[in-house]
Amino acid sequence: MNTSTAGRFVGQSVKRLEDPRLLTGRGRYVDDVMQPGTLHCAFLRSDVARGRIARLDVAAARELEGVFAVLTAADLNPHAGTMQPTLLLTIAGAPLRPLADGDVRFVGEPIVLVVADDRYVAEDALELVDIEIDAEHAVIVPDDALRADAPLVHPELTSNLGLEMAFPVPPELQALLDGGAPNIVRRTFRQHRHTNVPMETRGIVADYDPASGELHTWMSTQNPHEAKQAIARIAGIPAHRVRVQAQDVGGGFGQKFFTQREELTVALAARRLGRTLKWIEDRRENLIASNHARADVGECAFAIDDDGRLLGTYLDHLEDAGAFPVGATGGAGPLVGLLFTGPYKSPLAAFRTRAAWTNTCARGAYRGPWMFETVAREQMVDAAAREIGMDPLEWRRRNVIGRDDLPYTLPTGMTLEHVSPAETLEQAAALVDYDGFRAEQQRALAEGRLLGIGLGLYVEPSTGMMDPMGTETAVVRVNPNGQVTVALGTCSHGQGIETTMAQVVAEELGIDLDDVRIVQGDSAVTAFGRGTGGSGTAVIAGNACRDACAIVRAKAVHIAAHLMEASPDDLEIVDARISVRGTPTRAVAWHEVARIAHLETARLPEGAAVGLEGTATFKAPPFSWSNACHACTVEVDRATGQVEILRYVVSEDCGVMINPMIVEGQIAGGVVQGIGGTLYEHFVYDDDGNPLTTTFMDYLVPTTTEVPVIEYGHVETPSATPGGHKGMGEGGAIGSPPAVFNAVADALALVGATIDRTPLTPDTLLAALDAFDAAPA
Amino acid sequence: MKPAPFEYHAPATVAEACALLAEYGDEAKPLAGGQSLVPMLALRLARFEHLVDLNRMPELAGVERDDGTLVVRGATRQRVLERDAQVAEAAPLLAAATPLIGHFQIRNRGTVGGSLAHADPASEYPAVAVALGAELELASAAGTRRVSADEFFVGTWMTAARDDELLVAARFPVWSGPCGFAIEEVARRHGDFALAGVACALASGRAGLALFGVGSTPVRVAAAEDALLAGAPADEVAAIVVDAIDPPADVHASSATRARIARHLVARAVMRAKEQHAAG
Amino acid sequence: MLPVEMTVNGRRQRALLDARKTLADFLREDCELTGTHLGCEHGVCGACTVLLDGDAVRSCLLFAVQADGANVTTVEGIGGPDGALSPVQDAFRQEHGLQCGFCTPGFVVSVTALLRENPKPSEDEIREALSGNLCRCTGYQGIVRAVEKAAGS
């Protein structure tokens, strides 16, 4: 899988350096960290969505043999600093507290922290806590939360509206929507609540030493530097005395980007107790109380001319923020509105976005937190196309932003460039044989079978605009024997950073891949960085590495030039040798230069510093864009309402790929999460806010038998950043839900049935088919 | 997610096990494969003061042919039924049902007796037992008795077995002559509990049709079996079944969806059983 | 507390344990073999899969005392003592069958058991057999390819 720009390493599907330890069970995840003197934690959690704590007596729990401490809000909360993440320190959000204090606001909210010899005993102690909660009426869905008579989720605030932002409707757009446009299509789409489900749950080991005043933690995190700052703040410890480490992290998909309530509470408790505390979340807790996502509603309007061209759009978006959103309150909402027109030309657009508090689990970041813009838009495109009697592919062809339209400024202000939505659209259509499928669809229909095809076209921002997310620093350090250690503030959790960044460094320095080692996931030995998330590693960490390597290379060449009495401009580094271009026999080995730089410093050129290292910081442009087109074909079983995915194709443009194998792996994981999030996964509450899907028996994650072989095509439009890379880690999960939805909608449309919400379960699809059958002729 | 404490017993004989159950009554629970029980213990949805491990009793495992009966001892692993030639020959419906149960790791530990005694209404073995007309053999300190499958399953996770009784064997009659067998199910994902399923057995003069997932126990519809024996078309048999069931609803499917799927599956199963039967 | 003795990856392991301690926790804590992972503790995800007398089982659904006298193989016992990857492990690496690695031990053990019993499975057989192991990172693409590759070799 080599691209046209493949170098020795960059562009190659190099096998991953992290694999051997992970394959042999030698990975080191947070639960594998076993420190002497560790005590184990368990949280007692609310089983009521909203209510007052009428009685709380922990005496019996404290008495249980093996229990070290039982902490309540009275013990911890007064000692807690802020729990807001760095990004939101100046923004007042939901009044977060370590432990529930006097009242509870969602099922799963932590109330008591038990610390014991082991988790078994800790859970025994939970059962001995005497607690009574007077249940009060809870609001479970945003529509109810925003009613005038709705009880307040947060009594400290004045309403359940967490955020409201509007992009005003220009008069021309208003006129179009008021009837001026030849075609006005309106639809409401609902995406349902589901959640990240990393295979490794959250966890922390927090070791506080009162004598030194230092807190050493290990965490399942995507962002050790953010964790360090957050822990320092809540625990009241100067940040330089806090260390956060993570060697291996079992997935996150956004859940572990910010440091959440439980981890912060355990760190605070470790500080207060002066002990080493370990908390490993169990799966039920992870499903109920970590974070949820994707609960959005969008009322959409498209104004379209007689040729099917988009004249303007309006989106009214409402998102469910839960009770204590992680990281941001409806932080994705504005981006949903700003990106709604996506890869299509539209002169006009406006939107309103709101986020409502509800007595449910926190909304948190999940792979493309803003992706509802693609869900709503792509599903709207298909609905609009069908309404005006046009094939959805044809509609897209007429409206997609083409190469000649670039740079294209969206009606809401951001500018797209270096993107290729039109090219990916064509590549995906060709790969899936769109026209051939249409013929097959008709043949199947004649036999009474319902087949459908759906597209999902999108542009994906990897944002650099929010400090500190736009910056990464790389320290490239050459050892006296020539091998290289690279320290990065990243924290890989599946995307192979140990390999991809080593590829970049080996390529830039001209040395062997085996001689490069990436060090990450440790706030003490890496420079302050952005962590790993938001599709930023390739661009931001990659270019920080590139810039640091440039410094090292220049130094090495300077030394070599001096040693060989040659001009630095005449030298090149090839296969770990610095040689005169055109005269390869005049050369000095890389490892020799490194040795001299450290151990024979008298031979260095005048003024040259001892050693061989470089540090560089790269700040990303506010936005860089990748894009892709997903195409999905399905069969809907009319008898059972089940959906079988027949083929799944992705045409991806993420610029220059560092490792095509890893890129495709990222796409695949996202696609299958999208399939899960459209057909199977659903976090369900009853009307009183009690969770009904609390284990893997009820919350259904896709397995090998629910997914097809995914086929890939690649388009390569380099970004403007050095190296030409673009972030793409989230994209697979962005294009897939609408592609699957559109395929099912396309199948149902054959018999006049319609859908407007997910998940597409047998219940939903049989009801949709029935509704068609029941409709008057 | 750790279980509450319990006393552990690992008897070596059925008699010892029964003595323990007699002594501890409803404070004791037999532990067979553990694939259903242990998750409930881990989630603390259930707890028992005593667990009686049934996995160290050689007399409780094995399959043998006893004339016209296939005798499957209670602690026989489900995987054995997938591979045993005797089972394939004497009770094809049992062999066909087994791969539908969960996943191979579950079947490596899960037992036939455990599945029957657990009596999940959406599981396969109880329906197969009912369709084939099996008998369940129960042992206690007071002796042994046999209960027909029809009478054994009384409700969701409830059987006719007393607290002090152990399911020591399931006795499946071997259907002779030209036969047709079919098992059909629909689940949200492969290996999940069925939204609806049907086990169908057909011989000349005998029919067994038992649905799972559509009630609190396996559901037999006598009128449907009569129609099947009388040669009614598959669709008609299915229609009779659907009129007689009132399936439960949960997060996975509504009652109507389950009924709809049941109808579809009954028609399919009946068609396949009839074809096989006709082919002799 | 009950005495327990079993062989794990060829070495004898002994301990005094509470009856309720799961085999998974015993392996991780008492044997200090942390390669076996806990993804759900209710028998669905398969991350805790080990071989018990050669059979792939969910170690979170067994109490350690139940494995007394048994022969257990964990992921640490699949490859060579010098860190050499088994054919299954190597195939996973070649085909990018892992990303975060958390589900990987369960897959490696399950696939090893699968191929011992069915050396040349079809794609459908592979998918069906592995439907009891969950992965969130790979979308199963590299995993299925890895099994096909290991079966082919």
Side-chain angles (χ1 to χ4, degrees):
Chain A
M1 275 182 288
N2 299 345
T3 69
S4 59
T5 54
R8 286 168 68 230
F9 301 113
V10 171
Q12 306 287 353
S13 289
V14 170
K15 305 304 173 237
R16 298 191 336 162
L17 305 180
E18 42 271 82
D19 285 357
R21 73 170 183 277
L22 299 177
L23 285 163
T24 55
R26 299 302 294 269
R28 199 160 154 82
Y29 302 85
V30 66
D31 195 19
D32 304 336
V33 173
M34 301 192 183
Q35 294 291 101
T38 295
L39 296 167
H40 297 258
C41 298
F43 285 97
L44 179 73
R45 297 179 179 275
S46 174
D47 58 3
V48 165
R50 181 169 174 272
R52 299 221 54 81
I53 300 174
R55 186 175 72 250
L56 179 59
D57 183 350
V58 301
R62 282 197 178 123
E63 301 292 296
L64 184 67
E65 188 183 328
V67 170
F68 180 82
V70 179
L71 305 175
T72 65
D75 299 312
L76 280 181
N77 295 13
H79 307 285
T82 180
M83 296 174 74
Q84 284 283 65
T86 307
L87 232 87
L88 298 173
L89 283 173
T90 55
I91 297 176
L96 190 53
R97 57 265 176 107
L99 295 173
D101 187 2
D103 73 283
V104 293
R105 302 185 187 179
F106 71 99
V107 171
E109 178 162 18
I111 305 171
V112 173
L113 176 61
V114 168
V115 180
D117 289 343
D118 64 54
R119 178 76 182 214
Y120 289 77
V121 171
E123 291 191 15
D124 294 341
L126 293 181
E127 295 184 322
L128 296 176
V129 173
D130 180 10
I131 181 166
E132 188 180 310
I133 304 176
D134 291 334
E136 296 170 330
H137 178 64
V139 284
I140 310 306
V141 293
D143 284 338
D144 289 340
L146 294 178
R147 286 172 27 180
D149 59 349
L152 287 177
V153 172
H154 298 298
E156 300 89 342
L157 306 177
T158 52
S159 91
N160 288 332
L161 185 63
L163 176 117
E164 178 162 4
M165 180 190 150
F167 189 99
V169 184
E172 309 93 306
L173 179 59
Q174 193 62 58
L176 286 169
L177 295 173
D178 284 343
N183 299 285
I184 300 167
V185 180
R186 295 181 196 280
R187 292 287 189 281
T188 298
F189 291 109
R190 291 176 184 273
Q191 192 175 27
H192 64 285
R193 176 184 290 258
H194 51 286
T195 175
N196 313 39
V197 190
M199 286 318 298
E200 183 202 20
T201 57
R202 297 177 295 153
I204 183 170
V205 174
D207 176 356
Y208 183 71
D209 170 22
S212 63
E214 301 202 344
L215 180 65
H216 189 167
T217 72
W218 294 259
M219 254 179 83
S220 188
T221 179
Q222 295 173 226
N223 201 341
H225 285 284
E226 168 60 28
K228 165 181 161 166
Q229 299 295 323
I231 287 171
R233 286 189 293 262
I234 192 183
I237 302 172
H240 67 294
R241 297 220 171 94
V242 176
R243 180 177 186 179
V244 177
Q245 274 187 276
Q247 179 180 300
D248 291 302
V249 176
F253 316 113
Q255 182 165 99
K256 302 168 181 173
F257 190 79
F258 297 104
T259 309
Q260 290 207 44
R261 177 180 194 162
E262 285 89 345
E263 292 94 314
L264 292 176
T265 300
V266 170
L268 174 64
R271 162 79 176 82
R272 298 297 305 164
L273 296 174
R275 293 295 304 261
T276 302
L277 300 190
K278 183 177 204 177
W279 174 69
I280 304 298
E281 182 183 46
D282 70 32
R283 184 56 63 184
R284 182 168 51 186
E285 293 179 283
N286 184 264
L287 288 173
I288 294 173
S290 59
N291 73 273
H292 294 166
R294 306 280 196 256
D296 297 90
V297 182
E299 292 178 21
C300 317
F302 273 13
I304 300 172
D305 74 13
D306 285 316
D307 293 321
R309 294 208 161 73
L310 195 54
L311 300 170
T313 69
Y314 185 77
L315 171 69
D316 193 357
H317 168 238
L318 175 60
E319 73 174 34
D320 189 339
F324 297 103
V326 181
T329 305
L335 208 48
V336 173
L338 292 169
L339 286 176
F340 182 57
T341 55
Y344 305 109
K345 291 174 282 197
S346 181
L348 301 164
F351 66 89
R352 174 175 75 152
T353 181
R354 293 176 299 163
W357 311 113
T358 58
N359 292 110
T360 64
C361 176
R363 185 188 191 97
Y366 176 29
R367 212 163 192 172
W370 67 88
M371 56 79 77
F372 184 69
E373 50 81 28
T374 291
V375 168
R377 177 196 59 253
E378 291 301 294
Q379 291 173 189
M380 189 61 182
V381 163
D382 272 36
R386 265 195 294 276
E387 188 159 312
I388 64 172
M390 188 177 289
D391 186 287
L393 173 59
E394 180 56 31
W395 193 97
R396 287 180 170 85
R397 280 174 167 151
R398 289 197 189 187
N399 288 279
V400 70
I401 295 165
R403 188 171 284 142
D404 295 339
D405 300 309
L406 298 172
Y408 183 85
T409 300
L410 301 177
T412 50
M414 288 184 284
T415 300
L416 299 177
E417 47 185 340
H418 309 294
V419 293
S420 61
E423 288 76 10
T424 59
L425 179 66
E426 293 308 321
Q427 188 180 65
L431 277 170
V432 83
D433 188 11
Y434 194 95
D435 295 338
F437 181 83
R438 284 290 183 217
E440 189 190 337
Q441 183 182 41
Q442 288 303 307
R443 284 194 296 274
L445 183 61
E447 294 168 13
R449 294 166 55 216
L450 299 179
L451 269 50
I453 186 164
L455 299 170
L457 185 67
Y458 66 92
V459 287
E460 174 185 357
S462 37
T463 67
M465 67 179 178
M466 286 187 296
D467 287 327
M469 284 187 66
T471 310
E472 191 60 72
T473 300
V475 179
V476 174
R477 191 166 281 154
V478 185
N479 304 331
N481 54 8
Q483 289 146 354
V484 177
T485 311
V486 182
L488 289 170
T490 54
C491 199
S492 199
H493 48 283
Q495 49 280 87
I497 294 176
E498 283 174 52
T499 305
T500 53
M501 293 301 105
Q503 288 175 256
V504 170
V505 169
E507 186 85 41
E508 291 296 308
L509 294 181
I511 62 174
D512 199 34
L513 189 66
D514 277 342
D515 286 338
V516 180
R517 176 92 171 69
I518 305 296
V519 171
Q520 58 177 335
D522 188 339
S523 66
V525 304
T526 63
F528 181 74
R530 65 184 297 280
T532 300
S535 304
T537 299
V539 175
I540 308 174
N543 283 311
C545 286
R546 222 174 231 105
D547 290 349
C549 285
I551 296 169
V552 170
R553 210 172 51 235
K555 267 175 131 167
V557 163
H558 181 51
I559 295 169
H562 177 73
L563 293 172
M564 291 191 284
E565 293 176 351
S567 163
D569 297 333
D570 293 338
L571 298 185
E572 61 182 7
I573 311 180
V574 177
D575 288 338
R577 294 170 83 244
I578 306 178
S579 57
V580 176
R581 205 173 285 110
T583 319
T585 47
R586 276 189 72 201
V588 58
W590 168 270
H591 67 76
E592 181 66 7
V593 171
R595 189 188 65 77
I596 290 167
H598 290 89
L599 302 176
E600 255 194 283
T601 59
R603 294 177 64 189
L604 289 173
E606 179 122 359
V610 169
L612 189 55
E613 72 174 60
T615 297
T617 300
F618 183 83
K619 180 153 169 60
F623 284 99
S624 53
W625 306 92
S626 63
N627 60 271
C629 183
H630 292 217
C632 173
T633 60
V634 302
E635 173 159 6
V636 177
D637 187 327
R638 298 173 89 154
T640 64
Q642 290 178 298
V643 175
E644 186 193 341
I645 299 182
L646 304 173
R647 285 185 69 197
Y648 201 100
V649 163
V650 179
S651 168
E652 166 84 39
D653 183 350
C654 58
V656 174
M657 292 186 280
I658 298 173
N659 187 320
M661 177 186 83
I662 287 180
V663 166
E664 291 182 0
Q666 291 300 298
I667 296 171
V671 164
V672 170
Q673 286 180 313
I675 290 171
T678 309
L679 300 178
Y680 300 102
E681 299 175 49
H682 189 183
F683 193 92
V684 182
Y685 286 104
D686 69 14
D687 291 338
D688 296 320
N690 297 306
L692 301 180
T693 49
T694 60
T695 69
F696 277 158
M697 292 178 279
D698 291 320
Y699 187 90
L700 306 180
V701 164
T703 73
T704 43
T705 51
E706 284 74 52
V707 307
V709 170
I710 299 169
E711 305 163 63
Y712 311 91
H714 294 287
V715 174
E716 191 180 292
T717 309
S719 70
T721 61
H725 314 303
K726 296 170 184 171
M728 52 66 61
E730 294 166 282
I734 296 173
S736 44
V740 174
F741 181 98
N742 282 342
V744 174
D746 188 63
L748 262 47
L750 293 171
V751 291
T754 60
I755 41 174
D756 64 357
R757 68 195 63 203
T758 51
L760 302 179
T761 59
D763 274 356
T764 302
L765 297 183
L766 290 176
L769 288 166
D770 280 351
F772 160 72
D773 286 334
Chain B
M1 218 180 271
K2 313 297 184 188
F6 54 81
E7 290 248 359
Y8 172 78
H9 309 270
T13 65
V14 171
E16 272 178 58
C18 290
L20 286 164
L21 294 180
E23 181 178 348
Y24 295 117
D26 65 2
E27 290 182 352
K29 183 76 174 171
L31 170 63
Q35 305 301 285
S36 300
L37 178 61
V38 179
M40 291 175 73
L41 298 178
L43 290 161
R44 301 205 181 199
L45 293 174
R47 80 190 54 212
F48 300 93
E49 300 284 330
H50 301 269
L51 287 191
V52 179
D53 190 338
L54 304 182
N55 293 287
R56 297 199 183 266
M57 300 190 288
E59 67 182 292
L60 206 51
V63 178
E64 71 212 21
R65 184 72 181 260
D66 176 14
D67 243 0
T69 306
L70 182 75
V71 181
V72 180
R73 305 217 174 275
T76 305
R77 304 282 176 211
Q78 291 156 4
R79 284 282 264 169
V80 167
L81 266 57
E82 259 179 282
R83 297 150 152 158
D84 192 315
Q86 273 186 108
V87 176
E89 197 254 326
L93 198 51
L94 202 53
T98 304
L100 299 173
I101 300 172
H103 310 283
F104 81 100
Q105 299 98 329
I106 289 175
R107 301 195 293 275
N108 275 340
R109 284 300 292 181
T111 65
V112 179
S115 173
L116 291 167
H118 184 60
D120 191 297
S123 62
E124 293 82 358
Y125 282 163
V128 169
V130 166
L132 292 179
E135 274 191 318
L136 292 320
E137 193 170 305
L138 304 169
S140 70
T144 60
R145 63 183 182 119
R146 290 186 189 172
V147 178
S148 71
D150 277 333
E151 290 165 354
F152 185 71
F153 303 101
V154 302
T156 303
W157 305 326
M158 293 195 309
T159 70
R162 296 188 312 259
D163 281 333
D164 66 326
E165 284 182 308
L166 210 57
L167 199 165
V168 292
R171 305 175 63 88
F172 297 91
V174 178
W175 289 38
S176 54
C179 288
F181 301 102
I183 183 159
E184 294 274 348
E185 73 173 53
V186 161
R188 291 298 327 272
R189 301 170 307 174
H190 181 78
D192 285 343
F193 279 116
L195 297 184
V198 57
C200 180
L202 183 63
S204 306
R206 187 174 185 182
L209 192 68
L211 281 83
F212 49 104
V214 300
S216 62
T217 65
V219 175
R220 254 184 109 167
V221 181
E225 287 177 352
D226 293 341
L228 178 54
L229 275 176
D235 285 341
E236 194 181 304
V237 176
I240 295 171
V241 166
V242 156
D243 281 342
I245 58 174
D246 183 21
D250 64 15
V251 288
H252 300 299
S254 67
S255 177
T257 293
R258 285 192 154 87
R260 181 86 154 260
I261 292 173
R263 180 177 187 148
H264 172 69
L265 294 178
V266 169
R268 268 235 299 261
V270 164
M271 217 163 64
R272 283 176 50 207
K274 284 170 100 171
E275 274 170 26
Q276 201 181 81
H277 173 244
Chain C
M1 299 282 258
L2 299 172
V4 170
E5 185 175 321
M6 66 183 82
T7 305
V8 182
N9 298 335
R11 288 193 66 211
R12 190 165 60 183
Q13 296 282 353
R14 278 194 196 132
L16 267 179
L17 304 173
D18 272 346
R20 62 172 170 164
K21 188 164 204 179
T22 63
L23 178 60
D25 283 338
F26 168 75
L27 293 169
R28 289 180 52 75
E29 291 166 17
D30 298 86
C31 305
E32 295 181 321
L33 295 166
T34 58
T36 300
H37 296 152
L38 301 178
C40 76
E41 290 190 287
H42 52 277
V44 178
C45 79
C48 69
T49 307
V50 301
L51 300 181
L52 181 73
D53 293 329
D55 288 333
V57 298
R58 287 147 156 42
S59 63
C60 73
L61 296 186
L62 269 155
F63 300 110
V65 295
Q66 291 188 280
D68 184 55
N71 222 309
V72 176
T73 305
T74 69
V75 64
E76 290 95 335
I78 298 290
D82 54 348
L85 301 182
S86 73
V88 168
Q89 289 165 324
D90 188 62
F92 268 74
R93 182 166 191 228
Q94 299 303 320
E95 296 299 329
H96 196 34
L98 65 153
Q99 291 183 23
C100 81
F102 198 77
C103 71
T104 304
F107 271 101
V108 166
V109 172
S110 297
V111 171
T112 301
L114 169 70
L115 292 180
R116 278 181 193 163
E117 196 180 293
N118 185 358
K120 301 280 181 201
S122 67
E123 187 190 326
D124 279 348
E125 286 172 332
I126 292 171
R127 288 179 182 274
E128 216 174 275
L130 295 181
S131 60
N133 290 71
L134 301 181
C135 173
R136 274 306 254 185
C137 293
T138 67
Y140 306 106
Q141 306 296 300
I143 291 174
V144 173
R145 286 197 307 263
V147 181
E148 289 171 337
K149 187 184 187 83
S153 58

